[in-house]
């Protein structure tokens, strides 16, 4: 067990290091964007003085390195800064201080996680189940149908799938609401119903990958001597796949699942827009538009952390799925 | 007369290569009575395994039955439904595969795999089957029978796994077991334990068996009757004793005679000659794990030193130290009396050229994308700087030396060659550098006996012509006997015994050399019985060599 713990700690350390490198890249990339908040907010007719004043207020006149370390220091203490847009807005209204980035992002992020969670709860079992069945009935009509269906759903644009679903499940048969405008304090049941359509859309997008990987990695193992041995013991085909092939095929499947879950957290802007779902994707796009740097950076960092954390989890689970590591000699 | 347990009549099987179906088994008949053990022998490609699996009504992917019948206890296995066959497999017909390490599922404990068939077939409950498993482990003389089943396959040694698989095959007390080369992957001393265990348990339960192997001496110990196969056809069948003493067919006789190749002994080396390679007090380790302890031996010009030992004894590690792939942690290695740099990266091109290597698996040692000509030409150009016509001429010469016609083979890819031909290319590639010293790492162990003999003869001829020195790594004592001048015996990273061949094969031996020598099966059907008697039957199972 010690070796496993050592590997996990090692991976965790590497993950943090990656996050640090990513934070530098994010910071440089965001600062390389043409134009800044002052220019965007004041418009084309702004005087040099006014823009300079705003830059000074926001600390944008400081050298790059200083600003990076100030940001990094804040991050380490859980302070992601204050949104430029909210700051401006609050001051105009005569309020004091402003809405911090954390306050702004937290509810949106929770919504995104909720959507990702619902999607995963549907997509992962469906994908793995279909993959197992496709492996069992490989090269039959079922296998081909499953492949064609999932491939066409992954090949169509997300918004198109979204509108098709809206047409069938909200317009022609009004089962589900087509708008997903959830808010804080909404009862769980209603929240779930409203999230269902975007979740189904995303399911159609992610299922293909996971299903095909499940099928491929199981079929890959079917030529192994231990599978032949199981057949020669008179074990039924379904049991051979679930009990003898699947446990050895887990590592690649887990990795693809993690990759798709990361996509659910970071790449769902289009679906959010179609269903008016208040997730983090929309916030991100809006913030880029007005160069609201603290929010953009925080979103980027959250996306990066989600990727790293999910891949880390996948790594650790793959390691744990290997009995040689779980039970050393 | 009772009906035989298994009847195979005029069986024809075909296998698919590319888009064509080619015959693998061409009309084989076979009968097996209850409790009888039939030995099935032949070289690789003879169709032994395919026939063994067909006796279970099973064909691998890409194999099909084109004609004939397999009847087990009155049931036609190729007419039976998949469900009917599943009800027989594991329960009444069981299988023991060549590599237990690959045939046990790495994800489950041994006992869970053991109980699967009895529980699924409704023969007994899980608890009962676990108890029975422990009993079988005890009968097969596995150490810690109470506990060993609760380990994962990777936690158990190869010889023990092979016995655990035999126990698994016995779990439903089948009428018939197919043993498919169950000891081929094992060391000689481990092989004995497995052979003894299999023989005992088959006799105890009166199980009929088909024992597939390419090793005549092994089959002589196990079988009541022997059937010889050649390219999918039966050569002859007879009672074991009659077959051994009086083989009828030419092919069978050639199989029997194959171990006869032996080189004449060379005179002793003169005192004070500088050896080509001198390994002096070498220690080596993989990371923190020490693997070689104070290894010393010399290889003289034009002579062959055979390094023998079981797997894990450090033979190949010693070779890696000499080539500089694994820098030793202590000691030194001299080439013609001059110390070589420990790390191959620090050796100059000329030193690298003088030490070459031939590998066990010619399949993986040759680049599959390069033609034979390119493979041999590369060292010719790299070490000797030959180009154009001179390079081509040298490659042709080398190909003639290894007895492959350049006109026919120059442009071929490795995949278009047989195993023996690939190994010849490996030899030519080593020769291309014009070395003084060649390390041959188990170069014949993946080959059939007849082909292996051809390779050994070629190596011997090249040695005489070019005054080459060989370090010949092998676990096969017959090979040692055939070609060596000096013998080095290794175990657990130490040299236990060394000396000229004539002394090594004559008593008194070092105790471990004696164990090795006496463990090589002989072509005498009573050999195993006598050996077990001399060693004392009861301690065979937990002999000192049983590795964990």
């Amino acid at each position: 067990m010690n070796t496993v713990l050592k590997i996990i700690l090692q991976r965790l350390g590497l993950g943090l290091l990656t996050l640090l490198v990513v934070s530098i890249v994010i910071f440089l990339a965001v600062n390389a964007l043409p134009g800044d908040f002052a220019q965007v907010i004041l418009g084309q007719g702004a005087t040099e003085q006014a823009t300079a004043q705003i830059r000074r207020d926001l600390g944008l006149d400081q050298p790059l390195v200083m600003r990076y370390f100030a940001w990094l220091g804040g991050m380490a203490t859980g302070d992601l800064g204050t949104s430029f847009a909210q700051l401006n807005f609050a001051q105009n209204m005569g309020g004091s201080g402003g809405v911090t980035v954390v306050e702004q992002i937290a509810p949106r992020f929770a919504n995104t996680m909720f959507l990702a969670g619902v999607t995963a709860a549907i997509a992962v079992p469906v994908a793995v189940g279909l993959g197992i069945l496709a492996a069992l009935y490989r090269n039959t009509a079922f296998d081909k149908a499953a492949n064609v269906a999932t491939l066409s759903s992954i090949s169509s644009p997300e918004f198109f799938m979204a509108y098709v679903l809206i047409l069938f499940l909200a317009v022609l048969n009004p089962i589900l609401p087509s708008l997903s405008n959830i808010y804080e304090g909404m009862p769980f049941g209603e929240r779930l119903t409203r999230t269902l359509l975007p979740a189904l859309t995303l399911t159609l997008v992610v299922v293909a990958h996971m299903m095909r990987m499940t099928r491929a990695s199981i079929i890959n193992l079917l030529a192994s001597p231990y599978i032949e041995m199981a057949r020669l013991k008179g074990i039924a085909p379904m049991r051979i796949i679930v009990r003898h092939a699947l446990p050895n095929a887990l590592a690649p499947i887990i990795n693809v699942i993690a990759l798709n879950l990361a996509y659910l957290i970071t790449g769902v802007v289009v679906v959010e827009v179609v269903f008016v779902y208040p997730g983090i994707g929309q916030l991100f796009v809006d913030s880029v538009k007005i160069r609201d740097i603290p929010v953009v950076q925080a979103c980027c960092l959250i996306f990066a952390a989600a990727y790293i954390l999910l891949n880390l989890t996948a790594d650790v689970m793959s390691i744990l799925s290997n009995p040689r590591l779980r039970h050393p000699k | 007369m009772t009906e035989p347990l298994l009847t195979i009549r005029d069986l024809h099987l075909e296998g698919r290569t590319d888009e064509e179906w080619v015959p693998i088994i061409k009309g084989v008949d076979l009968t097996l009575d209850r409790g009888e053990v039939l030995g099935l022998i032949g070289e690789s490609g003879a169709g032994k395994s395919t026939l063994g699996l067909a006796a279970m009504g099973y064909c691998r992917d890409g194999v099909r039955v084109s004609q004939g019948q397999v009847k087990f206890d009155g049931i036609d296995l190729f007419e039976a439904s998949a469900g009917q066959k599943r009800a027989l497999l594991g329960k009444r017909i069981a299988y023991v595969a060549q590599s237990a390490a690959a045939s046990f599922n790495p994800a489950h404990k041994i006992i869970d795999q053991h109980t699967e068939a009895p529980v699924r077939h409704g023969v007994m409950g899980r608890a009962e089957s676990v108890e029975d498993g422990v009993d079988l482990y005890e009968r097969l003389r596995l150490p810690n029978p109470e506990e060993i089943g609760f380990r994962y396959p990777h936690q158990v040694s190869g010889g023990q796994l092979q016995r655990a698989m035999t126990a698994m095959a016995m779990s439903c007390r089948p009428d018939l077991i197919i043993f498919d080369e169950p000891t081929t992957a094992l060391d000689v001393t481990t092989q004995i334990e497995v052979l003894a265990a299999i023989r005992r348990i088959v006799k105890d339960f009166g199980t009929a068996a088909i024992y597939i192997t390419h090793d005549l001496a092994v089959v002589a110990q196990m079988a009541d009757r022997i059937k010889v196969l050649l390219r999918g056809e039966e050569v002859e069948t007879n009672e074991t004793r009659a077959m051994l003493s009086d083989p009828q067919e030419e092919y069978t006789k050639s199989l029997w005679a194959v171990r006869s190749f032996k080189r004449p002994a060379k005179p002793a080396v003169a005192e004070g000659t500088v050896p080509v390679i001198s390994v002096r007090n070498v220690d080596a380790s993989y990371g923190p794990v020490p693997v070689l302890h104070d290894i010393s031996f010399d290889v003289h010009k034009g002579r062959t030193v055979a390094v023998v030992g079981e797997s894990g004894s450090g033979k190949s590690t010693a070779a890696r130290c000499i080539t500089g792939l694994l820098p030793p942690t202590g000691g030194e290695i001299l080439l013609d009396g001059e110390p070589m740099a420990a790390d191959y990266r620090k050796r100059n091109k000329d030193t690298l050229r003088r030490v070459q290597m031939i590998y066990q698996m010619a399949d993986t040692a040759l680049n599959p994308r390069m033609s034979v000509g390119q493979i041999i030409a590369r060292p010719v150009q790299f070490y000797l700087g030959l180009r154009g016509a001179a390079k081509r001429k040298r490659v042709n010469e080398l190909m003639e030396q290894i007895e492959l016609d350049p006109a026919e083979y120059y442009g071929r890819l490795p995949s278009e060659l047989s195993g023996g031909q690939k190994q010849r290319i490996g030899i030519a590639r080593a020769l291309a550098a014009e070395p003084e010293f060649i390390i041959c790492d188990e170069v014949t162990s993946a080959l059939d006996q007849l082909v292996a003999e051809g390779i050994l003869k070629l190596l011997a001829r090249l040695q005489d012509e070019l005054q080459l020195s060989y370090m010949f790594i092998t676990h096969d004592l017959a090979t040692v006997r055939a070609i060596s001048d000096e013998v080095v015996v290794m175990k657990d990273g130490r040299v236990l015994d060394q000396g000229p061949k004539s002394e090594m094969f004559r008593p008194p031996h070092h105790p471990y050399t004696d164990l090795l020598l006496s463990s090589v099966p002989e072509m005498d059907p009573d050999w195993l019985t006598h050996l077990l008697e001399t060693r004392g039957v009861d301690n065979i199972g937990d002999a000192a060599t049983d590795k964990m």
Side-chain angles (χ1 to χ4, degrees):
Chain A
M1 224 43 206
N2 262 337
T3 40
V4 175
L5 201 68
K6 213 170 107 191
I7 294 173
I8 292 176
L9 285 177
Q10 216 173 25
R11 294 290 158 96
L12 212 60
L14 276 177
L16 280 175
L17 192 70
T18 316
L19 204 57
L20 191 73
V21 173
V22 169
S23 78
I24 297 174
V25 174
I26 290 171
F27 190 81
L28 291 178
V30 169
N31 277 284
L33 285 177
D36 66 6
F37 181 74
Q39 277 175 346
V40 173
I41 222 64
L42 295 176
Q44 289 198 329
T47 61
E48 274 297 316
Q49 256 179 336
T51 42
Q53 179 62 40
I54 289 189
R55 282 189 188 135
R56 206 164 25 251
D57 286 351
L58 297 175
L60 289 177
D61 57 341
Q62 301 285 318
L64 208 61
V65 182
M66 296 285 287
R67 277 188 283 149
Y68 172 72
F69 281 107
W71 177 57
L72 197 68
M75 217 161 50
T77 55
D79 173 16
L80 293 176
T82 308
S83 155
F84 291 172
Q86 298 291 337
L87 190 69
N88 200 29
F89 176 75
Q91 275 165 354
N92 282 352
M93 299 300 286
S96 60
V99 184
T100 64
V101 173
V102 175
E103 282 172 299
Q104 207 183 355
I105 288 182
R108 297 294 201 102
F109 184 62
N111 289 344
T112 291
M113 290 303 282
F114 185 72
L115 176 58
V118 173
T119 310
I122 302 170
V124 174
V126 167
V128 174
L130 277 178
I132 289 174
L133 289 176
L136 182 61
Y137 302 110
R138 60 195 169 283
N139 306 329
T140 63
F142 170 81
D143 180 22
K144 280 168 192 153
N147 257 315
V148 168
T150 51
L151 269 185
S152 1
S153 75
I154 201 178
S155 317
S156 321
E158 287 167 39
F159 68 86
F160 176 73
M161 297 308 297
Y163 288 129
V164 169
L165 282 184
I166 289 177
L167 179 67
F168 284 105
L169 294 177
V171 179
L172 295 180
N173 313 291
I175 311 169
L176 294 168
S178 65
L179 288 186
S180 309
N181 50 345
I182 60 170
Y183 49 84
E184 234 175 306
M186 192 182 242
F188 180 78
E190 179 154 9
R191 213 177 145 108
L192 193 62
T193 335
R194 292 209 185 181
T195 314
L196 222 46
L197 260 187
L200 283 177
T201 311
L202 288 171
T203 298
L204 288 177
V205 177
V206 295
V207 132
H209 248 141
M210 298 190 279
M211 178 214 134
R212 286 167 65 82
M213 183 53 93
T214 307
R215 176 186 181 276
S217 43
I218 288 177
I219 287 180
N220 220 349
L221 291 179
L222 292 183
S224 323
Y226 57 81
I227 298 294
E228 182 168 83
M229 190 74 214
R231 287 195 187 121
L232 293 173
K233 275 157 71 179
I235 307 299
M238 187 65 178
R239 188 176 159 89
I240 286 180
I241 285 186
V242 174
R243 182 154 169 89
H244 289 275
L246 191 60
N248 294 295
L250 280 179
I253 299 175
I254 291 171
N255 272 307
V256 167
I257 290 178
L259 219 58
N260 278 287
L261 292 188
Y263 166 78
L264 287 179
I265 296 174
T266 60
V268 295
V269 182
V270 175
V271 174
E272 283 180 12
V273 171
V274 172
F275 292 98
V276 203
Y277 187 89
I280 201 170
Q282 276 204 51
L283 176 69
F284 179 62
V285 172
D286 292 344
S287 305
V288 171
K289 255 189 261 168
I290 59 164
R291 303 288 184 270
D292 194 345
I293 289 169
V295 179
V296 174
Q297 284 173 344
C299 286
C300 283
L301 209 59
I302 287 175
F303 292 163
Y307 253 99
I308 291 170
L309 202 66
L310 279 164
N311 277 302
L312 193 78
T313 318
D315 270 4
V316 171
M317 284 175 70
S318 307
I319 291 167
L320 289 180
S321 78
N322 183 345
R324 282 168 197 278
L325 286 164
R326 256 185 302 137
H327 309 275
K329 285 198 175 193
Chain B
M1 268 310 281
T2 51
E3 208 184 314
L5 180 67
L6 179 77
T7 322
I8 295 181
R9 211 168 295 147
D10 191 30
L11 185 68
H12 290 254
L13 297 175
E14 296 178 327
R16 186 159 53 189
T17 53
D18 300 325
E19 288 307 300
E20 250 184 314
W21 290 92
V22 293
I24 303 177
I25 296 289
K26 306 159 194 163
V28 170
D29 293 294
L30 184 157
T31 54
L32 186 70
D33 288 324
R34 283 174 189 281
E36 189 189 20
V37 179
L38 175 75
L40 209 53
I41 65 166
E43 298 174 59
S44 56
K48 309 179 298 270
S49 290
T50 313
L51 183 60
L53 289 170
M56 306 180 75
Y58 181 87
C59 289
R60 286 194 172 134
D61 281 345
V63 177
R64 68 177 184 192
V65 183
S66 56
Q67 196 185 319
Q69 198 184 39
V70 175
K71 255 190 169 172
F72 172 80
D73 203 14
I75 306 160
D76 187 327
L77 291 182
F78 289 122
E79 296 289 315
S81 71
Q84 270 175 305
K85 254 195 290 195
R86 273 207 299 277
L88 287 177
L89 290 180
K91 187 180 178 187
R92 299 194 59 201
I93 315 175
Y95 181 72
V96 174
Q98 171 168 356
S99 167
S103 294
F104 267 112
N105 192 327
H108 301 295
K109 289 179 185 160
I110 293 170
I111 196 77
D112 292 334
Q113 304 187 48
H114 180 96
T115 57
E116 192 175 19
V119 172
R120 289 278 130 188
H121 290 299
V123 175
M124 50 182 113
R126 197 190 129 84
E128 197 187 339
S129 175
V130 169
E131 211 172 295
D132 184 59
V134 172
D135 179 52
L136 286 169
Y137 296 153
E138 206 163 330
R139 283 167 179 275
L140 288 162
R141 309 263 151 81
L142 279 163
N144 309 322
E146 298 283 342
E147 176 266 337
I148 195 165
F150 295 89
R151 294 196 214 157
Y152 284 86
H154 70 270
Q155 296 171 313
V156 175
S157 76
Q160 293 170 357
L161 265 189
Q162 202 69 46
R163 278 180 277 166
M165 184 150 61
T166 305
M168 182 161 86
M170 278 289 175
S171 62
C172 294
R173 302 291 184 275
D175 302 310
L176 169 64
I177 300 187
I178 313 291
F179 289 98
D180 193 354
E181 305 240 17
T183 62
T184 306
L186 303 176
D187 287 318
V188 277
T189 51
T190 321
Q191 168 167 284
I192 300 229
E193 293 155 20
V194 177
L195 290 181
I198 290 176
R199 203 167 72 161
R200 184 173 336 107
I201 203 151
V202 166
K203 201 169 279 171
D204 281 0
F205 293 116
T207 315
I210 293 179
Y211 196 99
I212 299 168
T213 178
H214 67 274
D215 191 332
L216 291 159
V218 164
V219 86
Q221 313 308 316
M222 307 304 284
D224 304 317
R225 258 190 319 145
I226 296 178
K227 186 188 277 292
V228 183
L229 280 186
L230 173 65
R231 287 186 218 104
E233 279 171 294
E234 177 181 320
V235 177
E236 61 178 314
T237 307
N238 210 338
E239 300 294 323
T240 300
R241 276 167 205 284
M243 183 75 116
L244 288 172
S245 56
D246 183 25
Q248 298 298 311
E249 299 294 322
E250 275 310 309
Y251 175 71
T252 319
K253 285 178 191 163
S254 79
L255 279 180
W256 266 228
V258 83
R259 284 164 186 264
S260 59
F261 172 63
K262 212 174 261 182
R263 300 195 72 187
K266 295 199 183 85
V269 185
E271 285 284 326
T273 322
V274 177
V276 173
I277 284 282
S278 179
V279 178
R280 294 195 181 165
N281 309 100
V282 163
D283 299 312
S285 55
Y286 287 123
V289 187
V291 280
L292 289 185
H293 311 275
D294 198 20
I295 300 287
S296 299
F297 60 87
D298 291 341
V299 185
H300 285 274
K301 191 170 177 64
R303 302 177 76 91
T304 302
V305 171
V307 178
V308 279
E310 306 189 7
S311 48
S313 61
K315 312 180 295 271
S316 293
T317 311
R320 285 171 61 88
C321 286
I322 296 174
T323 54
L325 289 169
L326 180 73
T329 52
E332 58 178 356
I333 298 163
L334 310 182
L335 176 65
D336 282 333
E338 298 289 322
M340 285 195 286
D343 191 326
Y344 76 94
R345 296 183 201 86
K346 298 200 181 101
R347 294 182 186 171
N348 62 33
K349 211 183 215 179
D350 194 53
T351 310
L352 291 174
R353 178 188 65 76
R354 285 153 75 188
V355 178
Q356 292 292 316
M357 184 140 178
I358 307 169
Y359 298 86
Q360 173 174 8
M361 305 297 288
D363 270 329
T364 50
L366 300 182
N367 186 336
R369 296 283 185 147
M370 276 164 77
S371 72
V372 166
Q374 287 173 310
I375 291 171
I376 303 174
R378 182 149 163 72
V380 170
Q381 183 177 334
F382 180 76
Y383 287 117
L384 308 177
L386 297 184
R387 281 166 200 281
K391 180 168 87 174
R392 177 70 197 244
K393 184 162 160 278
R394 179 70 188 131
V395 172
N396 285 353
E397 279 170 21
L398 285 162
M399 290 187 69
E400 272 153 22
Q401 275 184 321
I402 54 159
E403 295 152 20
L404 286 182
D405 181 10
E408 191 181 346
Y409 291 98
Y410 189 88
R412 292 232 196 148
L413 291 173
S415 56
E416 297 165 320
L417 302 176
S418 72
Q421 288 170 336
K422 278 184 227 173
Q423 198 53 284
R424 280 168 193 264
I425 303 302
I427 294 172
R429 181 172 61 179
L431 284 182
E434 300 183 3
E436 292 161 36
F437 175 67
I438 299 181
I439 298 170
C440 306
D441 189 356
E442 303 265 12
V443 289
T444 55
S445 51
L447 303 173
D448 286 318
Q449 293 180 23
L450 285 170
V451 182
E453 196 189 351
I455 296 284
L456 293 182
K457 282 182 174 155
L458 171 67
L459 285 170
R461 202 197 76 214
L462 291 169
Q463 180 166 55
D464 293 341
E465 287 173 11
L466 306 167
Q467 283 298 300
L468 294 166
S469 307
Y470 295 139
M471 169 179 167
F472 208 97
I473 298 172
T474 182
H475 65 272
D476 181 19
L477 288 153
T479 311
V480 176
R481 221 181 276 252
I483 55 126
S484 70
D485 299 308
E486 276 90 33
V487 183
V488 173
V489 180
M490 287 186 70
K491 182 175 177 4
D492 300 332
R494 286 171 218 278
V495 172
L496 287 193
D497 195 8
Q498 60 178 314
K501 172 170 72 172
S502 51
E503 282 175 27
M504 296 296 283
F505 281 99
R506 198 188 309 135
H509 307 295
H510 181 281
Y512 181 68
T513 312
D514 188 55
L515 178 70
L516 275 185
L517 285 175
S518 66
S519 299
V520 178
E522 285 167 23
M523 295 275 255
D524 166 8
D526 298 321
W527 168 80
L528 183 61
T529 316
H530 290 323
L531 182 76
L532 296 181
E533 276 166 12
T534 26
R535 287 192 188 174
V537 178
D538 273 355
N539 60 35
I540 262 299
D542 34 41
T545 52
D546 226 339
K547 295 183 294 282
M548 287 296 296

